[in-house]
Amino acid sequence: MSAEMSSGGRIARRFAAVAQELRPALVTFVTAGDPDLETSARILAALPKAGADIIELGMPFSDPMADGPAIQAAGLRALNAGQTLKKTLALVRDFRETDADTPIVLMGYFNPVYQYGPEKFVADACAAGVDGLIVVDLPPEEDDELCIPALKGGLNFIRLATPTTDDRRLPAVLQNTSGFVYYVSINGITGSSAPKTSEVAAAVERIKAHTDLPVAVGFGVRTREQAAAIGRTADGVVVGSAIVQAVAGSLDEQGHATDGTVAAVEALVQELAEGVRFARQMAAE
């Protein structure tokens, strides 16, 4: 286990830091290379300054089965612009030259990792400054494929729990999970509907009965108000589709970045950050 992991790592330190501020973490998702590599790097650099606590960086894939139309389109834009997994790791490495503290989690599917070579991927991801992985199509029964090598290499392996993950299944899901648990608040694809606050609160409480890890809630959170509502009980609030749509809405007719692309992401993330910062204050009132 690496020194980074043994000391708790960036993810653990960040959750501890925001807990000291009596608020949840804002976890933001963007697709690597969307709409192009240069703009993607500028967006990545802007996220922490706008209020993002943890960054999920999507690894573009041609068959993203769990993603809604917005993230599918973002992945397609990135792939059409020439994004590869090697370039995604380089993006993280460049980010680390100016930001040594913000946790970065790579999120995506196993196929690109398999093509890259799991052992080489783990080594290169660690060297680039990646902190964790979310691989949505690898169940616990296949932990030997990537989860165990990732943990041994020093990467957190973050697992998804869903409304259909019952108490019998949950221990298996949590067995090798580290960093945090990502609770998918709705059934279906990303960005398809809004989560119900009362149901999310009950689910977070149930998961916490099985683990000491932070629980971050995502899928369907789009506004400052929703972020505040979910953040009253969750340790982290994940926003993806809304940010990706902010990118898409800023592009020109040819799908290229404009002068307003980075600013559009910054403005939305700043609003969301305001929401999570007031989440616990609202709960106390």
Side-chain angles (χ1 to χ4, degrees), residues 24 194-197 220-232 237 239 268 270-280 282:
K196 295 181 179 178
T197 307
V221 180
R222 313 181 66 81
T223 67
R224 173 173 49 194
E225 292 73 22
Q226 288 173 336
I230 296 300
R232 292 176 195 176
V237 179
V239 184
L268 176 57
Q270 285 168 356
E271 284 192 20
L272 295 164
E274 288 177 10
V276 299
R277 287 181 187 281
F278 287 113
R280 301 292 165 82
M282 291 171 58

Side-chain angles (χ1 to χ4, degrees), residues 164-183:
T164 59
T165 307
D166 59 25
D167 287 334
R168 288 176 297 177
R169 179 63 173 168
L170 194 54
V173 169
L174 296 173
Q175 184 175 4
N176 290 314
T177 299
S178 66
F180 62 94
V181 180
Y182 186 154
Y183 178 65

Side-chain angles (χ1 to χ4, degrees), residues 2 137 209 251:
S2 71
D137 56 346
L251 306 180

Side-chain angles (χ1 to χ4, degrees), residues 9-10 13 17 36 63-64 73 84 95 97 115 118 127 129 158 161 171 178 183 186 216-217 242-243 250 254 284:
R10 291 187 189 95
R13 290 197 296 270
D36 59 74
D63 187 23
T84 63
F95 174 85
E97 292 182 3
Q115 297 295 330
I158 297 145
S178 66
Y183 178 65
I186 56 174
V217 176
I243 298 172
S250 74
Q254 286 74 44

